[in-house]
Amino acid sequence: MAATFRWAMLALALLVAGASPAVAQAPARLDPAIATAGQAVYAANCAVCHDNALTHAPSRQALGKLSPETIVRVLTSGRMQAQGSALDQGEKHAVAQALAARPLGAPQAEVAMPRCTGAAAQFDIDQPPVFDGWGLDARNTHAIPTALAGLTAANVGRLRLKWAFAVPNAVDMRSQPALAGGAIYLGGGNGTLYALDRATGCLRWSFEASASIRSGVIVSPWQAGDRGARPLVYFGDSFGHAYALDAQTGEEVWHKRIDDHPDAVLTGAPALHGDTLYVPVSSFEEGSAAVPGYACCSFRGSVLALDARTGEEKWRTWLVDPPQRAADGRSATPSGIAVWSTPLVDAERGQLYVTTGDNYTQPTTAMSDAVVALDLATGAVRWTTQVTDNDSWNVACFAGRDAPNCPADAGPDFDFGAAAVLARGSDGRERLLVGQKSGVAYALDPASGERLWQTQVGRGGELGGVHFGIAADDGKLYVPIHDASFPGGIAGPGKPGIYALDVATGSPVWAAAAADVCAGAASCQPGYSAAISVTPELVLAGAADAHLRIFDAKSGAVLWDQDTNAPFPTVNGVTGHGGSMSGGAAPLALDGTLIVNSGYAFLGKLPGNVLLVYSVE
């Protein structure tokens, strides 16, 4: 936390180097002198980022939900230790206490995490993973058959909260859970992976990663009843580590830092196919560029294939050439092309599809803002379809196009953050479908990358457009649009909402514009930034305004609407509160239950820390 901003440190609340015990904070008075000193440290070193939603930093409101111990830990040994090095120990302690509004070492009432006993504690070998990876099926469609979901247009009105689980010392719930063995595997913003009994929410086991668990969680498949199966749980964290754990015990099998760059991070969930784990590599360096004097930029996006059992690297494909440092010693080009979405495996064609981000510096290169097909076995590039050229951008541009490190002729920041989807249209032809932050949806020929159609759905912008996920089912592509507005952003009215397009033609089928229910409330935004899921009858979508909505898949009518911006009683006794829904975590439906994360403390959104499980009464 310094007077300047760095993307890698903006996730203060998320990038905790370990989880704290689940506690309920007892009231304690903070010395007014410490509060005054801490406020001064914040004003001088922190406010420039945390009081500005455009920097992606968690807000002052979000930081206030953390314990002072957590804040000190992040400043000392977590993602923000570089910024913390500019503060002495007294300043760190003062600002942590001022933000948390309570003293360090205040008496705390321990909350006993409910440990599973009996049948709830047992890993059920007869329940292989419910879904095939992050995309829920082999084509990333985020579609759930009605028989599996157990939800219909007729019964969603009877959904009621069954139980809630709160992640302590977290303000973000961006990791999509995995369902297997009778458990919910939940990645926490406090750096803890939880294995919870799906029926009751009691804890089977937990594992502490090195930092916030940012990616979705996936579990390797097995045959029901196979007593010799040893399935693994895979995920990635904000320090750029990939992990494999024993799904039954939580014991670490391997972990690996997937890139040497200090700002490397895993945002998209890995994709598992056979004995290979395909890992996308993203970066916080797009924000590091805003630090005065920072030598921008040196990150190179890539995708790598790992042996799923050992973590050994099989191949890596770089998406941009090695950067060359300019004579001034500061700037370097080319750079960027982060991959912050889940790769899509096309076993039939032997291809892996990735959607890519922009360049950070000029000149731009051919695989930015593109869809890239790689050979599954070797990683060789088979084809590239770039849909936006000359798009170099970084967070320094938020300070103005003439700001240091903002590229000359800066582009519109039209990354792809949503994964590609394979789906068939009513004509029987399979298409590769993608949605971009520009607000445009595209259909490509998966064999060649030829563009078949494109439809401008939203206005688009730096904050999306299409942000984290699309879905497809029964010949329709479902496109969530965020289209948040801010001063200096793309001009014109946004079109936040959910939209259905014909897969075969790209023609609109229906539109469900997002009503503005925020009434001017701080950190509340209409629109849909998070990934979504669908059934043949329903569209399941969490919104940036904290509402969880279910739409009729045939008409777009809202069938059920739940405001999650509220406190929730939790099974683990930790204070729970919902917030905005964003990131790659989509709602999941199974056997008449609806499972959703609530809380997203970045980009001016509402913080939260709860997993909510609803069931049909």
Side-chain angles (χ1 to χ4, degrees):
M1 199 158 32
T4 54
F5 151 87
R6 194 171 180 200
W7 187 294
M9 31 178 115
L10 293 180
L12 172 61
L14 292 175
L15 308 177
V16 184
S20 298
V23 296
Q25 303 291 348
R29 295 188 62 183
L30 180 60
D31 186 325
I34 293 177
T36 299
Q39 299 290 359
V41 173
Y42 179 86
N45 299 278
C46 316
V48 66
C49 298
H50 294 282
D51 289 352
N52 180 1
L54 299 184
T55 63
H56 298 226
S59 67
R60 173 69 181 268
Q61 174 194 10
L63 299 180
K65 296 181 180 297
L66 302 174
S67 71
E69 289 79 9
T70 295
I71 297 172
V72 170
R73 185 184 310 114
V74 176
L75 288 170
T76 303
S77 59
R79 174 63 74 177
M80 293 187 67
Q81 58 185 313
Q83 289 60 49
S85 65
L87 306 175
D88 62 32
Q89 192 74 347
E91 290 172 320
K92 293 176 190 175
H93 286 188
V95 73
Q97 293 173 94
L99 288 169
R102 58 182 181 268
L104 285 160
Q108 301 181 36
E110 292 288 339
V111 175
M113 178 71 196
R115 293 277 176 171
C116 297
T117 59
Q122 301 303 310
F123 182 88
D124 190 345
I125 203 69
D126 292 322
Q127 292 190 40
V130 175
F131 301 115
D132 188 352
W134 173 87
L136 307 189
D137 62 18
R139 286 172 165 74
N140 263 7
T141 65
H142 263 270
I144 308 170
T146 298
L148 186 61
L151 296 180
T152 67
N155 68 15
V156 293
R158 304 201 308 273
L159 281 169
R160 302 291 184 271
L161 185 66
K162 183 179 181 182
W163 57 266
F165 177 89
V167 177
N169 287 312
V171 291
D172 182 279
M173 297 291 290
R174 67 180 304 151
S175 173
Q176 181 173 290
L179 311 179
I184 299 175
Y185 295 94
L186 175 67
N190 61 356
T192 303
L193 193 288
Y194 300 92
L196 307 174
D197 176 59
R198 185 161 63 86
T200 66
C202 65
L203 179 68
R204 293 183 177 179
W205 54 258
S206 62
F207 172 86
E208 292 186 13
S210 66
S212 161
I213 298 173
R214 186 176 176 88
S215 82
V217 182
I218 64 172
V219 180
S220 60
W222 71 89
Q223 292 295 319
D226 179 4
R227 306 297 165 185
R230 290 295 178 266
L232 300 183
V233 178
Y234 301 100
F235 60 93
D237 73 15
S238 294
F239 275 171
H241 294 96
Y243 295 84
L245 311 180
D246 186 301
Q248 301 187 48
T249 66
E251 294 180 4
E252 183 181 297
V253 175
W254 58 260
H255 84 268
K256 178 185 184 71
R257 195 159 199 278
I258 44 78
D259 194 293
D260 290 335
H261 196 282
D263 280 345
V265 62
L266 286 175
T267 298
L272 178 66
H273 178 67
D275 62 357
T276 304
L277 190 71
Y278 299 96
V279 183
V281 185
S282 188
S283 162
F284 288 130
E285 194 186 30
E286 191 173 39
S288 300
V291 177
Y294 181 79
C296 180
C297 287
S298 57
F299 172 76
R300 303 168 66 198
S302 66
V303 179
L304 65 158
L306 304 179
D307 184 290
R309 279 287 163 184
T310 67
E312 293 298 313
E313 185 173 318
K314 294 183 174 184
W315 55 255
R316 181 192 298 264
T317 298
W318 297 101
L319 302 173
V320 65
D321 292 335
Q324 302 298 313
R325 188 67 62 187
D328 61 10
R330 292 185 65 254
S331 60
T333 59
S335 64
I337 313 188
V339 182
W340 43 293
S341 60
T342 296
L344 167 58
V345 174
D346 184 349
E348 180 181 337
R349 297 177 180 86
Q351 295 183 156
L352 184 77
Y353 306 108
V354 294
T355 58
T356 69
D358 54 18
N359 290 106
Y360 298 163
T361 48
Q362 290 278 16
T364 58
T365 52
M367 285 192 280
S368 62
D369 290 5
V371 184
V372 181
L374 306 177
D375 185 280
L376 269 180
T378 67
V381 177
R382 290 193 175 179
W383 56 256
T384 298
T385 298
Q386 185 178 54
V387 300
T388 304
D389 62 3
N390 201 37
D391 186 9
S392 61
W393 189 93
N394 59 60
V395 176
C397 297
F398 273 139
R401 295 301 170 109
D402 58 348
N405 282 338
C406 182
D409 191 27
D413 186 29
F414 282 168
D415 304 58
F416 280 102
V421 167
L422 276 170
R424 294 189 185 278
S426 56
D427 58 359
R429 181 178 181 180
E430 192 168 51
R431 292 163 176 81
L432 186 66
L433 306 169
V434 292
Q436 192 184 12
K437 283 170 61 181
S438 61
V440 179
Y442 302 87
L444 309 179
D445 183 333
S448 65
E450 176 190 358
R451 201 177 310 185
L452 303 175
W453 57 254
Q454 67 182 68
T455 300
Q456 185 79 47
V457 184
R459 180 206 60 211
E462 290 91 338
L463 309 182
V466 181
H467 216 168
F468 283 102
I470 56 177
D473 186 58
D474 193 27
K476 291 193 289 293
L477 171 65
Y478 298 94
V479 183
I481 295 292
H482 188 210
D483 273 5
S485 298
F486 60 91
I490 290 180
K495 296 177 61 180
I498 303 289
Y499 298 84
L501 306 180
D502 185 280
V503 168
T505 66
S507 300
V509 177
W510 54 254
D516 188 351
V517 300
C518 295
S523 301
C524 182
Q525 304 168 4
Y528 297 84
S529 172
I532 62 173
S533 297
V534 297
T535 78
E537 296 186 33
L538 309 169
V539 179
L540 315 172
D545 61 16
H547 282 248
L548 174 60
R549 297 184 178 94
I550 299 179
F551 299 84
D552 187 305
K554 294 181 175 58
S555 68
V558 176
L559 302 176
W560 187 78
D561 187 338
Q562 177 72 35
D563 185 1
T564 70
N565 184 22
F568 289 91
T570 64
V571 294
N572 56 328
V574 175
T575 300
H577 201 287
S580 298
M581 283 164 270
S582 188
L588 303 176
L590 176 64
D591 296 336
T593 61
L594 182 61
I595 301 165
V596 64
N597 289 347
S598 182
Y600 195 84
F602 300 95
L603 295 169
K605 296 182 177 68
L606 295 160
N609 68 335
V610 290
L611 174 76
L612 304 171
V613 179
Y614 297 88
S615 64
V616 175
E617 284 191 343

